[in-house]
Amino acid sequence: MTRPSGLAIYAIAYLVFLYLPVLFLPLFSFNDGTIVAFPIKGWTLEWYRQLGGQDALIGALMNSVIVGLLAATLATSMGLFAARAYVRYRFRGKKASEGLVMLPLVIPGIIVASSMLVLFISIGIKPSLTAITLGHTFLALPFAVSILKSAFDDFDPSLEEAAYDLGSGVVETFRRVTLPIVAPGIVASLLVTFTVSFDEFVLAFFLSGSETTLPVYIWSQIRFPAKLPNTLALGSLLLLASVALLVVAEFFRRRSAKSTFGGSK
Amino acid sequence: MVNFKSEASRGIALSGPATLYVGLLVAAPLAILVAYSLWTQTYVSVDRTVTLANYREAFTDPLVRYLMIRSVLIAGAVTLFTVALAYPIAYFIALKARRKTLWLLLITIPFWSSYLLRVFAWKLILGFNGVLNSALLSIGVIDTPLTFLLYNEFAVVLTLAHAWAPFAILPIYVSLQKIDLSLLEAATDLGNSAVQRFLRVTLPLTIPGIIAACLIIFIPTVGDYVTPSLVGGSDGKMIANLIQVQFGAANNWPLGATLSLLAMMSVGFVAIVFVLAASGLGRRIR
């Protein structure tokens, strides 16, 4: 049993393949040289320090945060209602509706981007942060629905019935029973959909007008070799932010799964 | 009292906003794309006379045909490569690993980092003066930098196989997880070797997972823009690059719309043929 099997060795090698390429970004972001190659010249924090002084970057970051917050809120609210309907109620067209809502996951990005650009121009929405927000809400919705569906899956309907029997109204029941139980799922959904929007590039690339989001800004910087170290530093910070958000989301998702077993505290 | 509305109407009302939102944003752009594809671009404006000129141009232009076929072939290669690499991992996690949740988490974390940045990382690794070449040079394995690494189909396939890994692993893992272990025991009791047992029991039972993995990877890959742009070079361009040019520099939206629709149709066509062929094969093995 102590000798690792061939399969286990393969699995470890595969993990290295998955992680190593991504880890080169932070590694070389501390490199005291402008080309990304071994050997590493020395260690520096200069590239990170320079990031603070770039107004275009700060602007793009703020745009990304605003778009992300709005898209996450919109997708999570629509997802919350839809998930409740899918888990709780039986109705005509339920399967079709569930399938349709998952569609954004499987349409090639370039087709979503080009068709939305054409749609928005046709109905008078200029390429802008508004257009990107609407597009990101569309892309994030399947994530919100699937996370919230599992939150409602674990939720015993008799708790709500008990509240009604004890004289609570619809609003009070929602606020005092439903919401606290589903809250971790909502937080997980907000975090995940925010990350989806925050990292999205192709749609934002097509739909951005004069103001861009962070990935579109990075795209514009990738072409300039002189900017490379700054781009690496910025990229490393983004990696860290995405992973941190996801770890927090995972924590809330698990708490939502746990809370149903231990009752609602 | 509380059920003042029927269950069905509540369900429809609650799922309505999401359904309408996605439905409208799928159907309306599609209708407008179709309309645009039937119009033509004149020097400064769009001529709204209905014509099939764009389709004629798309079907006769050798560049379009070349890029379309190449996109499908590259996506096919990416799918095959990614699924083949992923299957053993899914098998390991589902049937051998002791800490399944930890393994699944480890597999999915890199997926949550920005896709753009992961592709960018590969560009840095595979470049002429890049990470891999400089590392190999400094330890003396090679004398001159390898040039076949970046700006070709190989770079595109490698980068995407890395990017799509969790998408391949998870569906296969789920289908392996569903296998009734007593079937495997029965196969062994009936004298099957490990290889026979895998080919005759395990593999056929995971075909739905393999099909799902293939579709999840194939469909977005055909329309991928970032990877061919960053690591594909002039040899690795795909149809999405041409579509982007029509909506950008070339400013020929009608042709861009036509190409988008044709790309979508070829994806759909290949996907349907694939599903039919694969499920037919699955029945034959069994």
Side-chain angles (χ1 to χ4, degrees), chain B residues 34-50:
Chain B
V34 171
Y36 259 92
S37 76
L38 298 171
W39 297 337
T40 42
Q41 181 78 41
T42 55
Y43 184 58
V44 283
S45 63
V46 172
D47 176 4
R48 301 198 170 188
T49 330
V50 171

Side-chain angles (χ1 to χ4, degrees), chain A residues 1 5 7-8 10-12 14-15 17-22 24-25 28 35-39 78-79 81-82 84-86 88-92 97 100-101 103-111 114-123 133-135 137-138 141 143 145 164 170 192 195-196 199 201-202 205-206 215-216 218-219 222 228 231-232 234-236 238-239 242-243 246-247 250 254, chain B residues 1-2 4 7-12 14-15 17-26 28-30 32-33 36 82 84-86 88-89 91-92 96 98 101 103 105-118 120-125 129-132 134-135 138 158 161-162 165-166 169 216 219-220 222-226 229-230 240-241 243-244 247 253 256-257 260 263-264 267:
Chain A
M1 276 307 279
S5 68
L7 209 53
Y10 177 79
I12 304 280
Y14 195 89
L15 276 190
F17 166 69
L18 275 188
Y19 280 84
L20 199 60
V22 185
F24 279 121
L25 293 181
F28 282 98
I35 60 161
V36 180
F38 286 111
M78 283 191 281
F81 293 130
R84 185 180 165 96
Y86 297 147
R88 243 355 134 58
Y89 305 119
R90 274 174 303 166
F91 55 95
R92 273 185 118 196
S97 165
L100 182 71
V101 168
L103 209 56
L105 281 182
V106 292
I107 309 176
I110 189 83
I111 291 169
S114 60
S115 64
M116 284 214 182
L117 174 65
V118 173
L119 169 74
F120 287 148
I121 292 287
S122 303
I123 58 173
T133 306
L134 292 173
T137 305
F138 174 80
L141 198 54
F143 291 91
V145 170
Y164 290 135
V170 176
V192 168
T195 315
V196 168
D199 285 340
F201 166 70
V202 173
F205 182 51
F206 269 72
V216 179
I218 293 177
W219 178 260
I222 283 178
L228 198 57
T231 313
L232 285 175
L234 178 59
S236 309
L238 285 186
L239 288 179
S242 301
V243 172
L246 260 298
V247 170
E250 178 69 15
R254 292 201 180 173
Chain B
M1 173 189 71
V2 175
F4 53 90
E7 188 180 305
S9 57
R10 282 180 155 213
I12 290 169
L14 283 175
S15 63
T19 315
L20 274 182
Y21 192 77
V22 175
L24 276 179
L25 284 187
V26 170
L30 212 59
I32 296 171
L33 270 191
Y36 259 92
T82 314
L85 281 179
I89 298 298
Y91 186 88
F92 171 76
K96 304 279 179 209
R98 246 177 285 165
T101 326
W103 273 96
L105 195 66
L106 283 174
I107 296 290
T108 39
I109 287 174
F111 160 73
W112 289 107
S113 61
S114 155
Y115 169 62
L116 181 62
L117 289 173
R118 276 177 287 154
F120 178 52
W122 278 107
K123 183 186 164 82
L124 299 176
I125 291 168
N129 289 319
V131 174
L132 188 59
S134 62
S138 65
L158 181 65
H162 177 256
I169 296 171
I216 290 174
I219 294 171
V222 174
D224 190 49
Y225 173 75
V226 173
S229 310
L230 281 184
N241 301 97
I243 295 177
Q244 197 277 328
F247 283 100
W253 286 25
S260 278
M264 198 147 61
V267 170

Side-chain angles (χ1 to χ4, degrees), chain A:
Chain A
M1 276 307 279
T2 45
R3 199 179 66 93
S5 68
L7 209 53
I9 295 170
Y10 177 79
I12 304 280
Y14 195 89
L15 276 190
V16 173
F17 166 69
L18 275 188
Y19 280 84
L20 199 60
V22 185
L23 292 179
F24 279 121
L25 293 181
L27 177 68
F28 282 98
S29 70
F30 297 111
N31 182 19
D32 192 7
T34 50
I35 60 161
V36 180
F38 286 111
I40 288 191
K41 298 238 167 67
W43 304 101
T44 176
L45 285 173
E46 176 62 18
W47 312 122
Y48 286 90
R49 209 183 50 74
Q50 285 179 6
L51 289 180
Q54 294 174 12
D55 293 342
L57 184 153
I58 307 292
L61 173 68
M62 292 315 291
N63 291 340
S64 269
V65 170
I66 294 168
V67 169
L69 288 176
L70 286 172
T73 313
L74 285 170
T76 301
S77 338
M78 283 191 281
L80 185 65
F81 293 130
R84 185 180 165 96
Y86 297 147
V87 174
R88 243 355 134 58
Y89 305 119
R90 274 174 303 166
F91 55 95
R92 273 185 118 196
K94 179 168 140 176
K95 276 272 166 281
S97 165
E98 282 192 79
L100 182 71
V101 168
M102 288 295 141
L103 209 56
L105 281 182
V106 292
I107 309 176
I110 189 83
I111 291 169
V112 175
S114 60
S115 64
M116 284 214 182
L117 174 65
V118 173
L119 169 74
F120 287 148
I121 292 287
S122 303
I123 58 173
I125 301 177
K126 291 243 159 57
S128 58
L129 295 181
T130 313
I132 301 175
T133 306
L134 292 173
H136 281 180
T137 305
F138 174 80
L139 290 181
L141 198 54
F143 291 91
V145 170
S146 41
I147 291 171
L148 290 162
K149 247 161 71 176
S150 62
F152 275 111
D153 262 336
D154 301 331
F155 174 14
D156 184 353
S158 59
L159 291 171
E160 274 180 353
E161 280 158 28
Y164 290 135
D165 291 346
L166 293 169
S168 296
V170 176
V171 176
E172 201 187 356
T173 306
F174 181 78
R175 196 173 59 78
R176 294 184 55 182
V177 180
T178 317
L179 202 57
I181 298 178
V182 193
I186 295 176
V187 175
S189 164
L190 285 172
L191 291 168
V192 168
T193 49
F194 179 84
T195 315
V196 168
S197 161
F198 199 70
D199 285 340
E200 201 285 331
F201 166 70
V202 173
L203 193 84
F205 182 51
F206 269 72
L207 295 180
S208 55
S210 52
E211 293 200 81
T212 61
T213 60
L214 204 50
V216 179
Y217 173 80
I218 293 177
W219 178 260
S220 70
Q221 300 298 298
I222 283 178
R223 290 179 222 167
F224 304 112
K227 300 272 190 171
L228 198 57
N230 287 134
T231 313
L232 285 175
L234 178 59
S236 309
L237 290 177
L238 285 186
L239 288 179
L240 193 67
S242 301
V243 172
L245 281 174
L246 260 298
V247 170
V248 178
E250 178 69 15
F251 169 77
F252 277 102
R253 213 181 51 77
R254 292 201 180 173
R255 226 179 73 173
S256 102
K258 222 179 271 172
S259 67
T260 35
F261 292 108
S264 59
K265 275 183 193 163

Side-chain angles (χ1 to χ4, degrees), chain B residues 121-235:
Chain B
W122 278 107
K123 183 186 164 82
L124 299 176
I125 291 168
L126 300 174
F128 185 78
N129 289 319
V131 174
L132 188 59
N133 269 328
S134 62
L136 291 176
L137 279 172
S138 65
I139 57 172
V141 177
I142 51 172
D143 300 324
T144 48
L146 305 170
T147 52
F148 63 84
L149 294 173
L150 191 60
Y151 299 135
N152 51 33
E153 291 95 341
F154 163 78
V156 174
V157 173
L158 181 65
T159 304
L160 288 172
H162 177 256
W164 297 144
F167 286 117
I169 296 171
L170 294 177
I172 300 173
Y173 166 80
V174 170
S175 67
L176 280 163
Q177 190 79 338
K178 280 187 193 150
I179 294 180
D180 185 349
L181 292 177
S182 59
L183 288 174
L184 300 179
E185 282 165 27
T188 314
D189 292 346
L190 291 169
N192 277 325
S193 70
V195 176
Q196 277 176 326
R197 189 182 69 179
F198 176 75
L199 291 176
R200 294 170 69 177
V201 182
T202 317
L203 190 60
L205 285 174
T206 49
I207 282 185
I210 297 176
I211 294 178
C214 288
L215 290 180
I216 290 174
I217 296 166
F218 180 80
I219 294 171
T221 306
V222 174
D224 190 49
Y225 173 75
V226 173
T227 302
S229 310
L230 281 184
V231 303
S234 53
D235 287 348

